[in-house]
Amino acid sequence: YTKQYGKAPSSFGGYAYDGLMLIVDAIKMGKSAAPKDIRDNLEKIQGFKGTGGIFYFSAEDHNGLDAGAFEMVVIKGGDWQLAK
């Protein structure tokens, strides 16, 4: 991406991609695009490998990512660094 467009990709594009692919998978899973069916099938998705981590959904967990998928960061010198 950087080579082709001359800048680093935004993480927001990855989040949008994950969301879209999760909806596509839920529709395929239930063979229905009805909102209730999409929700019900999203809750069944386990092990979806997205750009933001590996998603495991349930009726109780609509985030799908556990704490291990996140890193605390700080800005130092105008750039992101892992917090210590």
Side-chain angles (χ1 to χ4, degrees):
Y1 185 95
T2 303
K3 183 177 178 183
Q4 184 168 345
Y5 297 105
K7 60 182 176 181
S10 165
S11 59
F12 295 105
Y15 305 149
Y17 177 83
D18 288 352
L20 179 60
M21 292 299 100
L22 284 161
I23 290 171
V24 168
D25 283 359
I27 291 170
K28 287 180 181 177
M29 189 187 269
K31 297 180 177 66
S32 170
K36 181 186 179 311
D37 295 335
I38 292 172
R39 184 211 54 222
D40 291 347
N41 287 303
L42 280 170
E43 291 176 348
K44 297 174 188 173
I45 292 177
Q46 300 291 301
F48 175 88
K49 294 177 181 146
T51 64
I54 301 175
F55 293 81
Y56 294 89
F57 292 99
S58 72
E60 295 78 32
D61 182 3
H62 287 175
N63 182 30
L65 297 170
D66 65 14
F70 302 97
E71 293 284 347
M72 181 60 74
V73 294
V74 295
I75 299 174
K76 287 187 181 175
D79 201 5
W80 299 100
Q81 294 182 13
L82 291 177
K84 296 181 183 190

